[in-house]
Amino acid sequence: ILPILIVKYKKISILPIILFLTPTLFLFIKSYDRYLNKPYPTFNESHLINVIQPNIKQEIKWINSLKFDHHQKLIDLSKLNQEDNNILSILNIWPETAFLGVYPRDKNLLQDLSQKFLNPKQNEFLFTGSISTHNNNYFNSGLLVNSNSQIKNIYNKNILVPFGEFIPLKKLLPRLDYFENKIDFSNGDKINAIAINNYYKFVPLICYEILFSNLIFKSLDHETSIIINITNDAWFGNSIGPIQHFQFSKIRAVEFGIPVIRVANTGYSGLVSPYGEVLKKLNLNEEGSISFKLINKLNDTIFRKYGDYLLIILITLIFVINILFKKIFLKRE
């Protein structure tokens, strides 16, 4: 709305234009200075993270005869970056619904898969997407499995995709074939940071939950070190969808000063620094894994302190200036 107000008041004087633009220019200058003088990223060398991108196409993902091959691909990619004697913990991350079973029905299968690459003598973990059930409800979930095959934590997706994971107002809609979902997913009621032993915590996000800053605010604490976003963007094919989705990882990292790790089935996967820089990346339709040490977060950011109150303050300021100059404008007329 700033250009409209500037055009509206340009006949009065240059003063309202300066007043309207000052907050925006101030933020831009401070942000640019902060970026120019940023320190080099530092890493905690004691903790290794492996990102796995299997690149399994959506049309073959759920074919029963291929599930063994899909799981084996994930296991083989997870074994590529395991050798380091000075590591206190290793976290392997698979994409959304990478485990092609239903938890807890297929708990034994998940445990068998994890035993094929997690060393029981080390602090090694797998965080994978999966479908889960509880009290006849189905959830799009993230499961944390340790090297002793224990399910240490379950996160159920909070914000579901309308017409993808559930049909809104389903009972009021006519019975049309393209609305005939066999099941609707249920949403989780909270989000808590997940602990990797006593070392660090991460905030889990599934799919487009990375768009919602308020969801992250609810779960942050002083021990939160990273944000992990698992997704399956195979639905979008070669469209702009995966690129646009990946950009939100950069925005969240800058807002909170916390590194974001994004793990997608077909891409893009990667590590985003607290300054929004992509340090490592797997491209669209690329199969592979990348490995890196735990990157350190920033102590704090203005957005992490005040959140959307900053936007409210700016809107209020512009509103007040507009009212003042509107009175001046009316008097001159």
Side-chain angles (χ1 to χ4, degrees):
I1 200 171
L2 281 176
I4 297 173
L5 294 175
I6 289 170
V7 170
K8 178 179 178 181
Y9 292 114
K10 69 178 181 180
K11 294 180 180 178
I12 301 176
S13 70
I14 197 67
L15 181 59
I17 295 176
I18 294 173
L19 289 175
F20 282 128
L21 289 180
T22 295
T24 304
L25 290 174
F26 176 77
L27 287 174
F28 178 81
I29 293 168
K30 289 294 291 182
S31 299
Y32 187 68
D33 177 69
R34 174 176 175 268
Y35 184 76
L36 282 183
N37 295 295
K38 69 183 185 302
Y40 289 106
T42 59
F43 294 82
N44 187 328
E45 298 292 331
S46 299
H47 304 288
L48 183 69
I49 297 173
N50 298 320
V51 167
I52 313 303
Q53 182 173 296
N55 192 32
I56 298 170
K57 304 305 178 186
Q58 191 62 35
E59 56 267 24
I60 65 170
K61 181 179 173 69
W62 294 99
I63 297 177
N64 280 324
S65 60
L66 297 177
K67 286 184 180 180
F68 174 84
D69 294 333
H70 297 338
H71 284 151
Q72 190 59 49
K73 179 186 287 190
L74 287 158
I75 291 167
D76 292 341
L77 291 170
S78 301
K79 291 178 178 178
L80 295 179
N81 301 298
Q82 298 286 339
E83 297 180 5
D84 196 324
N85 296 326
N86 298 317
I87 294 297
L88 292 178
S89 75
I90 297 176
L91 174 61
N92 301 275
I93 311 172
W94 291 1
E96 178 186 10
T97 61
F99 173 60
L100 302 172
V102 177
Y103 179 85
R105 184 193 70 188
D106 300 316
K107 179 180 178 180
N108 290 337
L109 174 58
L110 177 60
Q111 291 173 324
D112 290 341
L113 294 175
S114 66
Q115 287 175 353
K116 292 182 179 180
F117 64 93
L118 296 181
N119 185 349
K121 297 180 180 180
Q122 303 292 333
N123 292 312
E124 298 187 8
F125 299 85
L126 167 66
F127 183 65
T128 180
S130 173
I131 295 172
S132 68
T133 61
H134 182 67
N135 293 335
N136 295 320
N137 292 318
Y138 285 83
F139 299 92
N140 187 353
S141 303
L143 309 178
L144 181 69
V145 188
N146 70 7
S147 51
N148 294 317
S149 299
Q150 297 171 317
I151 310 301
K152 298 298 293 182
N153 211 305
I154 301 175
Y155 167 65
N156 296 324
K157 187 179 180 185
N158 277 235
I159 304 178
L160 302 177
V161 180
F163 301 102
E165 293 171 313
F166 76 104
I167 304 298
L169 305 174
K170 189 174 183 178
K171 293 181 180 179
L172 301 178
L173 293 172
R175 295 184 63 83
L176 301 174
D177 289 341
Y178 50 83
F179 284 148
E180 287 298 316
N181 285 14
K182 291 183 179 179
I183 60 166
D184 276 353
F185 283 103
S186 300
N187 61 293
D189 57 0
K190 61 180 179 179
I191 175 172
N192 292 320
I194 295 176
I196 299 298
N197 285 358
N198 295 321
Y199 302 131
Y200 63 91
K201 290 182 180 180
F202 68 87
V203 171
L205 299 171
I206 298 177
C207 192
Y208 85 139
E209 287 184 322
I210 193 70
L211 275 64
F212 302 96
S213 297
N214 62 322
L215 193 62
I216 301 173
F217 265 117
K218 294 177 183 178
S219 58
L220 284 179
D221 60 36
H222 68 280
E223 295 177 345
T224 302
S225 296
I226 49 176
I227 297 167
I228 294 178
N229 178 213
I230 58 174
T231 187
N232 176 28
D233 281 350
W235 297 99
F236 294 107
N238 295 321
S239 70
I240 196 175
I243 302 170
Q244 187 181 47
H245 200 179
F246 187 56
Q247 300 309 311
F248 280 97
S249 299
K250 299 165 72 174
I251 295 171
R252 298 292 91 83
V254 172
E255 283 178 344
F256 292 98
I258 298 175
V260 175
I261 298 172
R262 187 172 189 273
V263 187
N265 173 17
T266 55
Y268 296 87
S269 301
L271 168 64
V272 181
S273 82
Y275 289 94
E277 298 169 302
V278 180
L279 302 181
K280 285 193 174 184
K281 184 175 74 170
L282 289 164
N283 290 315
L284 191 63
N285 300 321
E286 180 182 359
E287 175 187 320
S289 68
I290 52 177
S291 180
F292 43 82
K293 302 297 174 61
L294 176 65
I295 186 171
N296 292 320
K297 65 179 179 180
L298 303 183
N299 291 330
D300 215 342
T301 65
I302 294 177
F303 186 83
R304 205 195 313 175
K305 280 184 177 180
Y306 304 108
D308 289 332
Y309 288 115
L310 290 171
L311 179 61
I312 295 171
I313 292 169
L314 285 174
I315 291 173
T316 303
L317 179 62
I318 291 172
F319 178 78
V320 170
I321 296 173
N322 180 40
I323 294 298
L324 291 174
F325 280 99
K326 186 176 182 180
K327 292 181 178 180
I328 296 172
F329 185 76
L330 289 173
K331 285 181 179 180
R332 291 195 175 186
E333 286 187 338

